[in-house]
Amino acid sequence: MFSGDDIYFMKLAMEEAEKADRKDEVPIGAILVSDGKLVARGHNCPISSHDPSAHAEIMALRSAGEWLRNYRMPGATLYVTLEPCLMCFGALTLARVERVVFGAGDPKVGVSRMQDELARVNLNHRLAFEGGLLEEECRGQLQGFFQRRR
């Protein structure tokens, strides 16, 4: 199901999550890849940036948009350590990202299981979600962060 490249890029996303952790942000990291090449990186930083939209996925999309000089990223794959929320889903849809590969599922706000309901609102783009890549490792990053905070 997942390729060696998928594993490689998810490990890079985990490195981004570590950057967030070092800043005392929830450790979530994202990597955007297009044509097999790393285009952008992002990690969670809503606290330090005073920006509720500064999720890892959004930060990667912002960086990719500047690098590509385009807000659309057809054919791109986003690797993220935690299943995207509804806000990130919207941004990924608008960016026309083709595929989202996530590590740990998010039973509270993860959106992949809601995609069929969201499709009923006539979205003009549909993301392909694949979850569970390096799931234990990604979940471990999050659990470790919250255990240290208790």
Side-chain angles (χ1 to χ4, degrees):
M1 177 165 133
F2 294 112
S3 71
D5 285 346
D6 290 333
I7 293 167
Y8 171 76
F9 288 122
M10 184 59 78
K11 286 183 178 182
L12 292 180
M14 291 176 70
E15 288 177 11
E16 285 298 308
E18 272 297 315
K19 290 178 186 177
D21 196 349
R22 286 193 297 272
K23 294 178 181 177
D24 210 25
E25 300 270 5
V26 176
I28 301 169
I31 298 290
L32 191 80
V33 175
S34 185
D35 295 324
K37 296 182 179 104
L38 175 67
V39 175
R41 299 170 176 261
H43 58 271
N44 237 25
C45 59
I47 297 167
S48 60
S49 67
H50 312 289
D51 179 357
S53 69
H55 289 195
E57 300 94 325
I58 301 294
M59 302 311 292
L61 289 174
R62 288 176 182 166
S63 179
E66 287 186 30
W67 176 257
L68 297 170
R69 309 218 24 93
N70 195 342
Y71 72 102
R72 296 251 169 107
M73 296 143 205
T77 297
L78 181 93
Y79 296 88
V80 62
T81 58
L82 183 67
E83 181 181 3
C85 69
L86 187 56
M87 175 186 69
C88 293
F89 170 83
L92 292 161
T93 300
L94 291 172
R96 305 295 193 269
V97 169
E98 183 175 318
R99 178 176 174 236
V100 176
V101 178
F102 62 88
D106 187 340
K108 281 186 176 179
V109 298
V111 74
S112 68
R113 69 188 169 285
M114 298 186 313
Q115 193 171 15
D116 289 337
E117 290 104 48
L118 293 167
R120 290 187 195 135
V121 296
N122 270 343
L123 297 174
N124 56 2
H125 179 72
R126 190 168 171 106
L127 301 165
F129 280 97
E130 297 176 42
L133 178 59
L134 302 178
E135 182 173 11
E136 287 182 31
E137 295 92 329
C138 292
R139 187 175 318 287
Q141 280 185 311
L142 289 160
Q143 288 173 338
F145 173 80
F146 288 112
Q147 285 171 354
R148 287 190 308 275
R149 292 181 66 99
R150 288 186 189 126

